[in-house]
């Protein structure tokens, strides 16, 4: 997570840079409470020693420099020292070596290696106010308390109280650093000597960057007495680079820092870093109004506590994060569920925007996808939102970017003041932004936050503040800062949106695949049905033809009509087919271009594409009958078609005029049969034929379901009667054929009769089949699986209940699977061959009988 | 908001008492010895002092009570806390010490161990009396 700030180099920044350059790790001196010695890399020759070395060793520094360490400390200590410096930790922290006795005094020796240079520090052992065991008891008690504390604030308060009791310092403060680097005093324990800093904020430049780095490297830092004179560090080779004392406890203090402490009224100080996840999370600062130096044992106890405390904080912060994460995840399932119905990510985000804003503590949200912007709540307008995203969100940003002051980026859009932005998906340029409104904020600074800058030969330099008196600054144009729980929640939201985006893409792709499969199956079904239809047409053409030539002609015309109707259906599949277009297409072969023998009146209705082929066949039969026997057989004859709304449907009237006198036929052929039955059968409509002397009159009625959007209108169909042919005692007497395609049903009925079935009943729907079976139970049934808008499984269950044998027939091919529970029943694939039907019928029927 | 000064060298106990008072809306200052507590009393105002009587190696409760005694009528009520049984014959020194404490102005005394809430109840009774007066 980064707090992105605009870059603008100022004199203030130059002074801060100069502060950052102060070489505090190589001060060239130490504090007087210790003696420091450094040797060559092999721990042989003493290369550096502090000017006060004589106080312990009784020799002048000049004598000590160049001497072997062996000679100065003795072989026994060197042996221990070698062991200690072999520890892996000796390069990252100071390690205790042993106690050195000189006369009546004892000194603790601590050692470490920095940049391959062994460094030894000697510190006189003093009588501490608090014994070692008492100190450890106190630490133990404090650590025990931490486990039972509910809030972080309580833990901070207890910690400073405990450390003050341990150290005896006048004041112990806990600084918590925010993401800008400013520190705020979150807890304080103090005696009466020093005033309170509780709640005050210290600007980030109070602790320069290189000091922060040292606080990370060496978590404990002590300045025993700001008034004491620094002790110079002498070198065997004055031209050698200065000794790096980053880890040394006695490292000399910075004069600027000294002035800072002096202005604070502090004479001695100690700091303990609180390092959480490798970062400087905070710091315990110990202040004393007079000189105070605590020995290495107590310092060690305090350091130990700070380490445990850091771990404890890490755990608590982790718990807080988990809690924020859990809160965000609670909405994930809702969001993911929404992917089942949404068609794009914008729709999804809109749906869940309110809870997203709630868990991020935001007032508004914006989703940018390429040029499109979806807004929710309090946000800038779309164009400004895009500009904000471009300005604050770096290209390829991997992290969440926040600002509590959009004004810093030149956006004067109050009350919107803060933004949190993240990239969801780079390629599609998905950006998600949260916005916060301006908050009424005031900051209590420890002293006026204006920097006092001094110009010297090195350029501008910050002067330590002279006052730490509370200075209240009202913050304008700022939102509440984006806290870590908001960032964690935002990170979870990012993951959720990415996940949902993927799920959505997968679902849409799956949906396309499924639709493709349905289209293929449907196509297969249609092809098979058309083949069955053609076979039926060919049989009928054969029956009504007396020569091969007339058979071929009749067949060709019927197939052409079917083809024309099919073309119409396919070409107008989306919008359906006009009734007018069908009649106009059918008459075309029988009239010259200049003639107008078709007169159409009334309204224009559009047929559903699915029933167009049937209607086209009816029109074709009417037209061919008229050409052969009716109005179109006469040069002056004409056809009058009227279409009008009637009884929740459409009434179509066909009237022939100007033709020869009509004689009622003695025998009903296929054409007339089709005209009379197709529409009632396939469309639940009506058809009536009147052989009027002046010309044939045919009236149809089609329910609105086939010409208008679906409705519940249902009209009883006329029953199709078939004549009885041969019979065979080994086959069932009465068979029901449930088939929505009339042509196929007729064909099937005829084949059954040819096999010896006495009575065949054809039904186009489940309702018809049930009505028929209620009236009379069949001996056998053949069920087309897919009836117009329903499946025939209900009929199958009815048959099973009544123990009537049956089989399925389907145009879906051999891949078709009936549902579980019906899988034992045979499935005939359309078009059904006579032999297949015979063997299937016999085997099922005979099995059933036995 | 009542201000309470606690003088107790055992930080664990001091924090427990502090928490109990803070739960009841008080502002609490902790000091670890008699000298420090006395300086607090000289520099800041308090509505109650809770003082441990014995602090090893340092001046303890008597020093605090003496400071309060010197403050006269301005002195807030004080609760002396002792770690030993007052009625025990073996602790004549303690009894003498407490009698001394009462003479110096300790409004009450309480013997460890006790639930921190008891301290608050005791404190409240002083404040209620003050309010009635």
């Amino acid at each position: 997570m980064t707090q992105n700030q605009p870059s603008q180099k100022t004199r203030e920044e130059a002074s801060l840079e100069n502060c950052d350059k102060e070489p505090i790790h190589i001060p060239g001196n130490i504090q007087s409470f210790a003696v420091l010695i450094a040797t060559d890399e092999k721990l042989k020759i003493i290369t550096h020693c502090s000017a006060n070395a004589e106080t312990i060793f009784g020799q002048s520094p000049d004598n000590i420099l160049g001497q072997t360490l062996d000679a100065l400390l003795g072989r026994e200590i060197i042996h221990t020292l070698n062991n200690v410096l072999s520890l892996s930790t000796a390069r990252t922290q100071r390690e205790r070596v042993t106690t050195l006795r000189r006369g009546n005094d004892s000194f603790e020796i601590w050692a470490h290696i920095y940049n391959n240079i062994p460094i030894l520090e000697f510190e006189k052992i003093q009588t501490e106010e608090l014994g070692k065991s008492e100190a450890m008891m106190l630490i133990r008690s404090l650590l025990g308390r931490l486990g039972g504390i509910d809030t972080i604030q309580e833990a901070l308060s207890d910690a400073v109280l405990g450390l003050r009791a341990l150290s005896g310092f006048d004041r112990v403060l806990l600084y918590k650093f925010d993401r800008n680097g400013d520190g705020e005093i979150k807890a304080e324990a103090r005696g009466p000597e020093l005033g309170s800093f509780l709640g005050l904020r210290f600007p980030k430049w109070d602790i320069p960057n290189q000091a922060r780095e040292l606080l990370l490297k060496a978590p404990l830092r002590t300045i025993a007495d700001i008034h004491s004179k620094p002790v110079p560090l002498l070198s065997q080779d004055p031209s050698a680079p200065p000794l790096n004392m980053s880890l040394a406890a006695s490292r000399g203090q910075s004069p600027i820092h000294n002035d800072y402490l002096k202005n604070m009224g502090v004479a001695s100080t100690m700091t303990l870093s609180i390092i959480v996840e490798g970062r400087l999370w905070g710091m315990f600062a110990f202040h004393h109004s007079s000189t105070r130096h605590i020995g290495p044992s107590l310092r060690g106890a305090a350091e130990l506590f700070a380490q445990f405390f850091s771990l404890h904080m890490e755990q608590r912060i982790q718990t807080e994060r988990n809690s924020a994460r859990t809160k965000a995840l609670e909405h994930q399932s809702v969001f993911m569920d929404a992917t089942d119905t949404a068609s794009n990510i914008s729709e999804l985000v809109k749906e869940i925007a309110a809870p997203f804003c709630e868990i991020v503590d935001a007032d508004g949200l914006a989703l940018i996808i390429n040029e499109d912007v979806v807004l929710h709540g309090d946000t800038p307008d779309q164009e400004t939102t895009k500009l904000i995203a471009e300005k604050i969100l770096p290209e390829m940003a991997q992290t969440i970017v926040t600002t509590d002051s959009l004004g810093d980026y030149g956006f004067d859009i109050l009350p919107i003041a803060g933004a949190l932005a993240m990239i969801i998906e780079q390629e599609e340029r998905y950006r998600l932004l949260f916005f916060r409104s301006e908050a009424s904020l005031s900051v209590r600074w420890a002293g006026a936050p204006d920097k006092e800058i001094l110009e010297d030969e090195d350029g501008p330099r910050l002067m330590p503040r002279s006052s730490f008196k509370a200075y209240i600054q009202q913050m304008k144009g700022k939102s509440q800062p984006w806290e870590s729980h908001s960032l964690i929640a935002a990170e979870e939201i990012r993951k959720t949106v990415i996940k949902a985006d993927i799920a959505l893409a997968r679902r849409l792709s799956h949906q396309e695949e499924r639709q493709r499969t349905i289209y293929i199956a449907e196509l297969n079904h249609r092809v098979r049905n058309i083949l069955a239809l053609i076979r039926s047409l060919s049989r009928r053409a054969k029956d009504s033809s007396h020569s091969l030539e007339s058979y071929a002609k009749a067949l060709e015309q019927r197939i052409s009509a079917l083809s024309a109707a099919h073309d119409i259906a396919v070409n107008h599949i989306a919008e359906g087919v006009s009734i007018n277009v069908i009649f106009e297409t059918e008459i075309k072969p029988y009239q010259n271009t200049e003639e107008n023998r078709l007169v159409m009146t009334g309204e224009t209705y559009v047929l559903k594409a699915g029933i167009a082929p049937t209607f086209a066949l009816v029109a074709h039969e009417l037209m061919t009958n008229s050409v052969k026997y009716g109005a179109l057989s006469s040069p002056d004859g004409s056809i009058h078609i009227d279409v009008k709304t009637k009884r929740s449907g459409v009434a179509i009237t066909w009237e022939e005029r100007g033709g020869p006198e009509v004689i009622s036929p003695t025998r009903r052929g296929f054409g007339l049969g089709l005209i009379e039955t197709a529409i009632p059968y396939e469309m639940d409509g009506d058809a009536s034929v009147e052989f009027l002397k002046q010309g044939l009159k045919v009236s149809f009625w089609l329910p609105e379901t086939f010409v208008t959007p679906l409705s519940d209108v249902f009209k009883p169909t006329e029953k199709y009667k078939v004549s009885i042919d041969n019979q065979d005692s080994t086959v069932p007497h009465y068979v029901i054929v449930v088939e929505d395609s009339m042509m196929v049903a007729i064909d099937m009925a005829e084949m059954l009769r040819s096999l010896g079935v006495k009575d065949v009943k054809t039904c186009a729907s489940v309702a018809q089949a049930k009505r028929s079976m209620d009236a009379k139970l069949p001996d056998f049934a053949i069920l087309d699986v897919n009836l117009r808008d329903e499946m025939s499984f209900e009929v199958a269950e009815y048959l099973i209940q009544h123990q009537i044998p049956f089989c399925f027939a389907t145009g879906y091919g051999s891949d078709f699977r009936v549902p579980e529970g019906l899988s034992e029943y045979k499935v005939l694939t359309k078009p059904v061959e006579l032999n297949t039907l015979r063997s299937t019928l016999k085997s099922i029927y005979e099995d059933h009988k036995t | 908001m009542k201000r309470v000064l606690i003088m107790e060298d055992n930080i664990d106990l001091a924090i427990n008492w502090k928490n109990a008072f803070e739960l009841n809306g008080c502002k609490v200052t902790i000091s670890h010895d008699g000298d420090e507590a006395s300086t607090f009393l000289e520099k800041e105002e308090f509505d109650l002092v809770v003082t441990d009587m014995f602090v090893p190696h340092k001046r303890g409760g008597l020093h605090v009570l003496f400071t309060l005694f010197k403050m006269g009528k301005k002195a807030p009520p004080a609760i002396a806390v002792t770690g030993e049984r007052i009625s025990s014959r073996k602790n004549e020194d303690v009894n003498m010490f407490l009698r001394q404490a009462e003479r110096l102005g300790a409004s009450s005394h309480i013997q460890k161990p006790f639930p921190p809430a008891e301290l608050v109840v005791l404190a409240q009774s002083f404040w209620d009396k003050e309010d009635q007066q």
Side-chain angles (χ1 to χ4, degrees), chain B residues 5-48:
Chain B
L5 174 66
I6 292 171
M7 196 285 281
E8 167 61 62
D9 65 325
N10 183 315
I11 192 65
D12 191 59
L13 282 180
I15 293 173
N16 287 345
W17 301 347
K18 169 182 155 286
N19 289 345
F21 278 112
E22 283 182 346
L23 269 176
N24 286 276
C26 302
K27 184 173 183 261
V28 180
T29 301
I30 291 176
S31 68
H32 304 301
D33 61 55
D35 282 324
E36 197 179 77
S38 296
T39 314
F40 263 124
L41 284 168
E42 284 160 14
K43 291 192 167 186
E44 297 176 24
E45 284 187 13
F46 295 94
D47 300 299
L48 179 79

Side-chain angles (χ1 to χ4, degrees), chain A residues 307-362:
Chain A
Q307 281 175 2
F308 273 108
F309 189 79
S310 296
L311 287 173
H312 183 78
M313 280 300 118
E314 198 162 312
Q315 194 188 1
R316 275 186 180 268
I317 288 164
Q318 200 60 47
T319 308
E320 275 191 353
R321 277 185 198 155
N322 286 343
S323 153
R325 201 164 283 138
T326 309
K327 211 172 161 192
L329 285 172
E330 278 168 16
H331 295 282
Q332 196 187 56
S333 57
V334 180
F335 194 58
M336 293 307 287
D337 286 349
T339 61
D340 290 346
T341 49
S343 58
N344 58 52
I345 197 76
S346 309
E347 223 174 84
L348 268 180
V349 169
K350 256 187 208 168
E351 198 160 315
I352 201 91
F356 273 2
C357 284
E358 193 188 317
I359 55 176
V360 180
D361 283 343

Side-chain angles (χ1 to χ4, degrees), chain A residues 682-702:
Chain A
E682 297 248 340
M683 300 170 211
D684 279 343
D686 294 336
S688 68
V689 180
E690 295 171 78
F691 295 96
L692 304 175
K693 269 189 181 175
Q694 63 272 27
L696 182 76
K697 184 179 177 185
V698 184
S699 304
F700 299 107
W701 177 82
L702 274 65

Side-chain angles (χ1 to χ4, degrees), chain A residues 11 98 189 220 228 283 335 404 419 435 496 530 674 750 785 824:
Chain A
R11 185 165 165 264
T98 186
L220 187 144
S228 76
M283 183 174 82
F335 194 58
D404 56 7
F435 294 100
T496 303
I530 283 171
L674 192 131
E750 193 160 302
V785 175
E824 65 188 83

Side-chain angles (χ1 to χ4, degrees), chain A residues 25-26 30 35-41 43 45 47-50 69 73 81 84-85 90-91 93-97 109-122 233 242-251:
Chain A
H25 58 301
I26 45 169
I30 66 161
V35 166
L36 186 144
I37 281 175
T39 71
D40 62 359
E41 290 183 15
L43 202 65
I45 308 299
T47 56
H48 296 78
C49 89
S50 55
L69 195 64
L73 297 179
L81 183 58
V84 168
L85 291 179
R91 289 175 184 271
Q93 65 182 37
R94 296 161 74 244
E95 294 291 347
R96 185 180 177 278
V97 182
I109 308 176
W110 290 71
H112 70 279
I113 297 173
Y114 200 85
N115 289 348
N116 294 326
I117 306 290
I119 296 171
L120 285 74
E121 290 174 281
F122 303 79
L233 183 68
L243 185 72
N244 189 324
M245 289 191 278
S246 291
L247 297 186
S250 59
R251 169 165 48 87

Side-chain angles (χ1 to χ4, degrees), chain A residues 386-689:
Chain A
K386 280 196 269 185
L387 287 174
I388 290 170
E390 276 166 30
K391 204 150 188 183
I392 71 170
L393 203 54
E395 201 70 21
M396 310 295 285
Q398 296 295 312
T399 55
I400 290 170
V401 176
T402 63
T403 177
D404 56 7
S405 175
L406 282 165
D408 291 352
Y409 294 88
F411 293 103
D412 187 11
I413 49 167
L414 291 175
I416 307 295
L420 178 154
M422 55 186 155
I423 293 176
I424 301 286
E425 210 275 327
Q426 192 69 46
E427 259 179 44
E428 297 293 326
R429 298 184 61 76
Y430 281 12
R431 309 278 190 278
L432 188 61
L433 286 91
F434 288 94
F435 294 100
R436 275 185 186 172
S437 301
E438 186 184 20
S440 169
L441 296 174
S442 64
V443 175
R444 291 178 70 228
W445 293 102
D450 307 323
K451 302 176 193 76
E452 295 169 32
I453 299 169
L454 172 77
E455 293 282 350
D456 64 13
E457 65 271 17
D458 296 325
R461 184 181 292 279
L462 273 189
M463 290 290 290
R465 273 202 308 290
S466 51
S467 168
F468 290 86
K469 202 177 161 193
Y471 176 94
I472 297 168
Q473 185 184 21
Q474 291 297 334
M475 309 297 279
K476 293 279 176 199
K478 283 185 180 287
S479 70
Q480 289 285 359
W482 298 89
E483 314 79 357
S484 67
H485 75 267
S486 294
L487 297 177
I488 289 158
E491 184 59 46
E492 287 307 315
I493 286 170
R494 169 154 70 170
K495 285 182 199 161
T496 303
V497 174
I498 292 172
K499 218 167 148 184
D501 193 28
I502 293 168
L504 191 66
R506 195 175 292 151
R507 181 179 65 79
L508 293 177
S509 138
H510 182 67
Q511 204 170 29
E512 275 173 22
E513 179 63 32
R514 210 170 54 215
Q515 275 174 354
R516 208 167 18 247
T517 309
I518 291 168
Y519 289 153
I520 290 168
E522 185 59 30
L523 183 65
N524 200 14
H525 172 75
R526 283 189 183 196
V527 168
R528 282 171 186 281
N529 269 348
I530 283 171
L531 285 174
L533 209 58
I534 288 170
R535 215 171 76 175
S536 176
L537 285 175
S538 71
R539 281 213 185 111
R540 290 287 162 188
K542 188 179 79 180
D543 292 347
S544 61
S545 303
H546 306 293
S547 68
L548 185 61
E549 201 176 279
S550 64
Y551 167 71
K553 198 175 173 189
L555 183 63
E556 193 183 331
Q557 279 178 353
R558 282 177 173 145
I559 291 175
S560 295
L562 190 65
S563 169
H566 187 73
D567 280 351
I568 293 166
V570 170
N571 292 335
H572 299 80
I573 197 149
E575 70 270 35
V577 191
S578 151
I579 292 170
N580 301 33
V581 168
I582 291 179
F583 284 115
E584 280 159 6
T585 308
E586 288 296 335
I587 203 168
K588 264 182 191 165
Y590 314 113
Q591 70 177 7
N592 298 325
T593 47
E594 68 275 9
E595 285 179 322
N596 188 12
R597 303 181 73 182
L598 179 68
V599 180
M600 295 209 63
T601 54
E603 300 159 55
T604 305
Y605 266 92
V606 171
L607 287 169
K608 268 172 72 177
I611 56 143
T614 307
F615 194 86
L617 276 174
V618 172
H620 174 76
E621 290 305 326
L622 282 167
M623 214 62 83
T624 50
N625 278 345
S626 180
V627 168
K628 283 189 277 185
Y629 319 110
L632 294 182
S633 66
S634 160
D636 301 323
S638 60
I639 313 285
H640 295 257
I641 297 171
D642 185 54
V643 181
K644 62 178 140 196
T645 310
K646 188 181 172 188
R647 288 188 289 125
S648 306
V650 178
I652 304 161
T653 317
W654 166 287
E655 277 184 82
E656 296 186 18
R657 293 179 199 169
E661 190 175 318
V662 174
I663 302 161
S664 190
T666 51
R667 161 183 168 272
R668 279 174 146 71
F670 171 75
L672 187 53
L674 192 131
I675 290 163
E676 285 181 318
T677 56
I679 287 175
Y681 197 94
E682 297 248 340
M683 300 170 211
D684 279 343
D686 294 336
S688 68
V689 180

